[in-house]
C-alpha cells in the first residue's frame, strides 16, 4: 500500500487524531504516509476525504495488503456492470458503497457472483427496472431453478 492509494477507513473515533466524527461506518480516504519497520510491518497514515485534519494510523502485518480497519478502495466502478464480482477489490465497504450508489439510481437488483441482492424489492419499480428485465440472465435463471428444486412436491 503506497502513498496516494485509495482506501476505506473504518470510522472508529478512537483511531482518529481529531475529535470530530462522521456518522458513516466507512470513510473514503487516501494513504498519506508509510514507513516499513525492520520486522516488515507497515505503519500507514491515511486521511479521510472531506474531513480536514482527521488522520488515522494503522499497522499492517508483513505480507498483507490491508487490515480490518483499512481496506483498499476501487476507483471508478461505473463500468463494472450488474455483477460486483468484477470489482478489483470486493470487500465490505466497497460492497456497501456500490449497493448504496446503485440504490440511489433505482437499480435494486445486483449480483455478487451467483448471489442476487435485492435492495428494497417492495419499493415501486421504475420503468425498465422490473423482474422481467432479469429474465434471460443466466445467473438469475440459475437462481430461479435452485429455488424451484427446493420446493416440496404438492
Amino acid at each position: 500500500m503506497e502513498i496516494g492509494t485509495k482506501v476505506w477507513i473504518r470510522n472508529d473515533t478512537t483511531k482518529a487524531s481529531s475529535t470530530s466524527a462522521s456518522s458513516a461506518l466507512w470513510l473514503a480516504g487516501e494513504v498519506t504516509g508509510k514507513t516499513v519497520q525492520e520486522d516488515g510491518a507497515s505503519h500507514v497514515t491515511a486521511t479521510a476525504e472531506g474531513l480536514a485534519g482527521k488522520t488515522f494510523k494503522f499497522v499492517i502485518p508483513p505480507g498483507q495488503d490491508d487490515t480490518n480497519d483499512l481496506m483498499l478502495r476501487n476507483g471508478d466502478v461505473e463500468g463494472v456492470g450488474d455483477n460486483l464480482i468484477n470489482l478489483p477489490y470486493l470487500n465490505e465497504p466497497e460492497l456497501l458503497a456500490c449497493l448504496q450508489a446503485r440504490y440511489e439510481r433505482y437499480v435494486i437488483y445486483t449480483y455478487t457472483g451467483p448471489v442476487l441482492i435485492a435492495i428494497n424489492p417492495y419499493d415501486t419499480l421504475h420503468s425498465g427496472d422490473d423482474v422481467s428485465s432479469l429474465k434471460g440472465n443466466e445467473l438469475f435463471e440459475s437462481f430461479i431453478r435452485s429455488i424451484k428444486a427446493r420446493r416440496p412436491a404438492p
Side-chain angles (χ1 to χ4, degrees):
M1 192 173 297
E2 301 302 320
I3 294 174
T5 301
K6 293 181 181 298
V7 292
W8 289 106
I9 304 166
R10 184 180 299 277
N11 188 11
D12 179 358
T13 56
T14 62
K15 297 202 180 297
S17 61
S18 72
T19 56
S20 64
S22 169
S23 62
L25 177 60
W26 291 96
L27 305 171
E30 187 173 303
V31 173
T32 55
K34 175 184 175 183
T35 57
V36 179
Q37 304 301 306
E38 287 182 18
D39 65 357
S42 298
H43 289 243
V44 175
T45 303
T47 56
E49 294 175 3
L51 298 176
K54 188 164 188 174
T55 59
F56 298 81
K57 297 184 184 218
F58 304 93
V59 176
I60 301 176
Q64 291 187 11
D65 292 328
D66 53 20
T67 71
N68 289 336
D69 295 325
L70 180 73
M71 296 190 182
L72 295 169
R73 179 169 56 110
N74 294 304
D76 180 27
V77 295
E78 288 300 317
V80 86
D82 290 334
N83 197 335
L84 300 184
I85 204 74
N86 298 323
L87 290 170
Y89 307 118
L90 181 58
N91 49 41
E92 176 189 344
E94 196 66 47
L95 177 69
L96 293 172
C98 287
L99 290 175
Q100 179 179 353
R102 291 174 62 82
Y103 177 76
E104 288 169 358
R105 293 190 324 259
Y106 301 106
V107 180
I108 63 173
Y109 297 106
T110 305
Y111 288 99
T112 302
V115 177
L116 175 64
I117 301 170
I119 299 177
N120 197 7
Y122 300 107
D123 191 10
T124 302
L125 294 174
H126 302 274
S127 65
D129 185 25
D130 59 20
V131 174
S132 65
S133 69
L134 295 172
K135 289 185 179 170
N137 181 302
E138 182 53 39
L139 286 173
F140 181 72
E141 297 296 332
S142 162
F143 176 72
I144 295 299
R145 284 191 299 272
S146 71
I147 288 176
K148 287 180 179 177
R150 286 185 282 179
R151 282 190 190 159

